[in-house]
Amino acid sequence: MQKWLVRLLIVMMLGAVLGVASLIGIYFYIKPQLPDVSALRDVKLATPMKVYSRDGELIAQFGEIRRIPLQLSDIPQSMIDAVLATEDARFYEHPGIDPIGILRAATVWAVSGKPQQGASTITQQVARNFFLTNEKTIVRKVKEVFLAWRIEQNLTKDEILTLYLNKIPLGYRSFGVGAAAQVYFGKDVKELTLDEIAIIAGLPKAPSMLNPIRSPERAFARRNVVLGRMLDTGKITQAQYDEASKMPIKARYHGAETTLHAPYLAEMVRQKMVDQFGEDAYTMGLHVYTTVSADRQRAAKKALLDGITDYDTRHGYRGPSAQLWKEGEAQWDYNQIVAHLNKEPTYNPLIPAVVTKLADKSASIVLKNGKQAELNWDGIKWARAFITDSRQGNAPRAARDVLKVGAQIWVREQGEALILAQIPDVNAALVAMNPTDGAIEGLVGGFSFELSKFNRVEQARRQIGSNIKPFLYATALEQGYTLASIINDAPINQWDPSKGPMWQPKNSPAVYDGPTPLRIGLAKSKNVMSVRLMRAIGLDTYMDGLVKFGFPREHIQRNESLALGAAEFTPMEVVRGFSMLANGGYQVTPYFISEVRDSFETLLFAANPAAACRGCGALAAADMNAPEAYLNVEGDWRAQCAIDPVVPNNLAPQTISAQSAFLITDTLTTAIWGGRGWMGTGWRAARDLKRHDISGKTGTTNESRDAWFSGYTPNLVATAWIGFDNHQRALGRVAYNANMGRDQTAGGEFGGNAAQPIWIDFMKVALNKVPEQPMPVPEGIIKLPVDASTGLLTHSGNATTEYFKEGTEPTRYSAPVSNGNRVYGEDGYFGDGDSPVSTDDLF
């Protein structure tokens, strides 16, 4: 007996030695194939790119993998307890592999005949998730064991657990407990209840089968298993178990929790980041902060949608999008309708609905969300029939004139009421910019990004009409003209054989005032004056002037129609041009990304745009050893400048003079407020905003294919455009309708009534609580009384005051004489007054 025991002991020892030797042999055989686990110390978890407003509101998230990297201290202890109780109760005791767990799993397998318990530790799962595949082979399992052991030699238990809780796949493309908390419950992980924690902790075993959205019954059972294990390990009390195990499953899918809608801007950011970082941009965990503020972006979106809706409704109703059943056919039941609507898209703010019943002045409808509602007459009565863009039918008298039972329609909310709506054919764009450095403050590229990803702010190259005139007049001022210079506002009928067929530009409206100062010509948007002025300075000089305003030369056609805005520019290019009038002549470059950080908030990029600074140009070149040179009227120049002008490349180039920019700005204020006995083309802005620090210009192209309004204050410039993506389609006309709403007038569509209301609605919000700030008058500007009809100095009562660049002011006087004609003298009166001045002298 004793010899038998000795022999058994020897055999066991030999077996152990052989087993150890075999393990060592296998280890050294596999060792060259094992990755370096020390890389786990610097692992960068794949996390999506997030785009924010400058005040921290989430605009978008890009990347298929959803992950919210967390430190262990950020994860509730109850989540850690639930995961450990379910996945690896002896995690803090074993060296990476758990012999006891392996033996227990093997025993259960032997007794039951099938594997019912996993034997992989959390460390082994980390090894598999980071370095191995999920193939079920002996070699893979051996590698997993050795990797787990090596991981335990290189990382602490807390580091391993942190990696696991951030890496584990938990369904719906969520990885880690932080992302799962958002996806299933729309919460931060710290906000989860015990039953929600247990649901997430139960997912690693089989995320697809145990998913609380797809399989709530299985998720319910698995959750209670997790709670039972927490109870067995003493991590929760019986009372906690009883309460949590009875809770119903309330999970639903939560997308990225965006709080600010700016999809066109988000797409611009995405393209920029992919250009810079490649496809890694989707997994680097980039946090991209844009320059837009949430309030101004919301205002831009609402203003654009309201402007499009106003245009669309005054041109008539084009009918329902579909007829689901016809008269005489069986009416669909409620469930059929809801099932159909759930498949239909929603284009905010439009909601799909179906008409189920009609009364004389109302309609009963079912909305996509299943809600049953009433569409009242106030929401229907606008819908006279659309015939063409310039013709509408008669106003409806009853709901049946517009709708039929079974019609699939669109509605929108207006307060607590519903309004009949339609997907508009027309589109629009709005972009707002800080003229100091080019930071985009708000940007909307169209009615709906879901309908069309074409970004009209950057991609729509359209004729800009009279929006171009301020740049023509500014170029003339740079050539020595003044706002008092006289141009003849008279029809152009000359025929020049060298220029081909006769061109007869006309004013709109066709009213001609004769000799007129430049200020009035620009403020009233006189077409023939623009053509005469362009001819006077020269077409090439004018084209060079446009380039100085940042307009690309390749899109400037050498044609006299350039004077009236035949050139095609994008809204982004237009707003940049107007920014130079607002900032004193500095050519800033638009930008929309302020900074980029990684997932740990380490700064990767910070914008440092070249900026404008009124009065800084001379300071930048001044002698730093002469502090008195830097004193401004109000004190130290550093208090006046938004930038440090002595930093190289930080000052934007000044391509037109501050004096010319100021003079055009002051004239465009006249275009808003008008003059004695006449209203400016931008009179709606004066009426609605009631501010005297706003300047602006309308723009309308031939046949009203495009309508524009661009305007600004010293610190904010915005451009609005409206038109059809089809360049051949005109904005048309509107016949009078008693049901017309807010500021909807009959007649043609122009910049003043189609585009300007969008600009006004945006500015109402953007300038709210912003005090008036008149454009500062630069050095080298003087103000003199001049004769209103000649632009010369005067002693008479027909005087008006005008600004001049110092050195360009008139030196001659205009004198009234007995027969009503005026003559001119160098320092007083000359001539006998018998002969009038020829209009040939007035260009």
Side-chain angles (χ1 to χ4, degrees), residues 619 623-632 636-638:
L619 298 173
D623 183 0
M624 289 296 292
N625 295 320
E628 65 276 5
Y630 302 106
L631 293 179
N632 205 314
D636 194 319
W637 64 270
R638 293 176 181 82

Side-chain angles (χ1 to χ4, degrees), residues 415-491:
E416 296 183 359
L418 292 174
I419 308 293
L420 178 65
Q422 58 192 348
I423 295 176
D425 287 346
V426 77
N427 231 302
L430 176 66
V431 57
M433 194 174 92
N434 184 330
T436 300
D437 64 357
I440 299 301
E441 296 277 344
L443 185 150
V444 188
F447 173 76
S448 170
F449 187 77
E450 290 75 21
L451 272 171
S452 170
K453 294 176 173 54
F454 182 64
N455 185 348
R456 293 153 192 86
V457 168
E458 279 198 318
Q459 298 172 299
R461 196 163 290 284
R462 306 295 294 239
Q463 290 188 349
I464 70 170
S466 293
N467 246 206
I468 208 169
K469 291 175 182 175
F471 311 116
L472 166 62
Y473 279 68
T475 303
L477 295 182
E478 293 284 271
Q479 303 304 308
Y481 285 80
T482 75
L483 295 180
S485 296
I486 302 297
I487 301 290
N488 194 18
D489 179 29

